[in-house]
C-alpha cells in the first residue's frame, strides 16, 4: 500500500504554494505529525501532514481497520502580524494526533479543544471543524481507501464554544456570518450571542 503522505503534501503544495516553514512533533506512541506554514500576502495558513497516514477508527470498534475509514488533515488560516501565531504548531499537532491518541473521528461540525490558548495571548482555546472542499480539494485515493479531506479549523472563543454546544455548529456559523466576523483575525472578540 502506497504511503499517502507524499500525495497529501503534493496536494497542499498545489493548492497553497510552497511552504515557507515546517515543524515536526512526535508524541509517545503516535506517528510523527508535521505542520507546514504557507504565507499568502497577509494570510498565513498552517496545514498538518501526518494525520491522514492512518484512517480514523470508530472508537467503539473492537479492532481498528488499517485500510477503511475517514482520513483528514487540518488547515488553519489567520491574518499575519497580529499575534505570534507560529506558536500554534504544537496545539495543531496535538489536534492532528487526537485520532491516534484518543480514538476520535474528526469530522465537520466537531469542536476540538486544546485547553490552553492556541498561541500566546489568543482568545481561543478551541476550534470548530468546518466543511472541506473550499481551500484544498479532497484527495482521492485508490480503492478501498477513503479520500483525504482537508478540514478548515475556525478558532472559537470560550463563549462561542459554549454557545455552539447548546445551539450547534450551523447556528454559530450563521451568527458569524450575520455579524460579519473575520474568522482570520487572530485577536478578534466573541461574536454577539444574545
Amino acid at each position: 500500500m502506497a504511503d499517502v503522505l507524499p500525495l497529501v503534501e503534493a496536494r497542499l503544495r498545489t493548492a497553497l504554494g510552497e511552504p515557507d516553514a515546517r515543524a515536526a512533533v512526535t508524541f509517545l506512541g503516535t506517528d510523527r505529525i508535521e505542520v507546514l506554514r504557507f504565507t499568502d500576502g497577509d494570510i498565513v495558513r498552517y496545514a498538518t501532514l501526518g494525520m491522514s497516514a492512518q484512517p480514523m477508527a470508530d472508537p467503539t470498534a473492537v479492532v481498528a481497520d488499517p485500510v477503511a475509514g475517514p482520513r483528514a488533515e487540518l488547515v488553519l488560516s489567520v491574518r499575519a502580524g497580529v499575534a505570534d501565531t507560529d506558536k500554534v504548531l504544537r496545539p495543531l499537532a496535538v489536534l492532528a494526533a487526537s485520532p491516534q491518541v484518543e480514538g476520535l473521528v474528526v469530522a465537520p461540525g466537531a469542536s476540538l479543544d486544546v485547553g490552553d490558548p492556541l498561541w500566546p495571548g489568543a482568545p481561543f482555546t478551541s476550534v470548530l471543524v468546518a466543511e472541506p472542499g473550499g481551500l484544498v480539494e479532497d484527495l482521492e485515493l485508490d480503492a478501498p481507501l477513503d479520500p483525504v479531506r482537508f478540514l478548515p479549523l475556525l478558532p472559537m472563543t470560550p463563549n462561542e464554544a459554549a454557545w455552539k454546544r447548546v445551539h450547534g455548529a450551523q447556528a454559530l456559523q450563521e451568527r458569524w456570518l450575520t455579524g460579519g466576523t473575520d474568522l482570520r483575525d487572530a485577536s478578534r472578540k466573541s461574536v454577539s450571542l444574545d
Side-chain angles (χ1 to χ4, degrees):
M1 182 126 350
D3 182 7
V4 303
L5 295 184
L7 302 173
V8 170
E9 184 168 354
R11 175 58 54 96
L12 286 168
R13 288 172 185 264
T14 299
L16 305 176
E18 287 299 310
D20 60 4
R22 64 191 311 145
V25 180
T26 305
F27 303 102
L28 187 62
T30 67
D31 295 330
R32 170 181 153 130
I33 302 287
E34 287 189 83
V35 179
L36 284 58
R37 183 182 71 193
F38 301 86
T39 304
D40 181 14
D42 70 334
I43 302 297
V44 180
R45 293 189 171 90
Y46 300 93
T48 63
L49 179 63
M51 182 176 170
S52 62
Q54 303 295 327
M56 292 181 274
D58 179 347
T60 63
V62 177
V63 177
D65 189 322
V67 177
R71 294 173 188 259
E73 295 292 351
L74 308 175
V75 181
L76 173 70
S77 300
V78 292
R79 205 163 300 289
V82 177
D84 187 8
T85 57
D86 279 351
K87 301 284 196 233
V88 78
L89 301 177
R90 185 167 180 77
L92 265 183
V94 167
L95 296 177
S98 62
Q100 290 181 59
V101 174
E102 300 173 33
L104 294 178
V105 175
V106 178
S111 299
L112 302 174
D113 197 317
V114 293
D116 290 313
L118 292 174
W119 52 81
F124 321 105
T125 61
S126 62
V127 293
L128 174 65
V129 181
E131 290 290 334
L135 188 60
V136 184
E137 288 183 32
D138 292 353
L139 173 64
E140 297 294 330
L141 300 173
D142 294 336
L145 303 180
D146 285 20
V148 177
R149 302 172 83 198
F150 298 88
L151 302 172
L153 300 180
L154 308 175
M156 294 187 292
T157 66
N159 286 346
E160 290 169 339
W163 197 85
K164 182 252 175 199
R165 280 192 293 277
V166 174
H167 300 281
Q170 185 64 36
L172 178 58
Q173 288 177 307
E174 287 171 10
R175 282 291 171 120
W176 284 336
L177 192 58
T178 303
T181 306
D182 180 2
L183 296 173
R184 296 175 177 168
D185 182 348
S187 60
R188 72 173 179 83
K189 304 287 186 242
S190 183
V191 69
S192 174
L193 299 170
D194 300 335

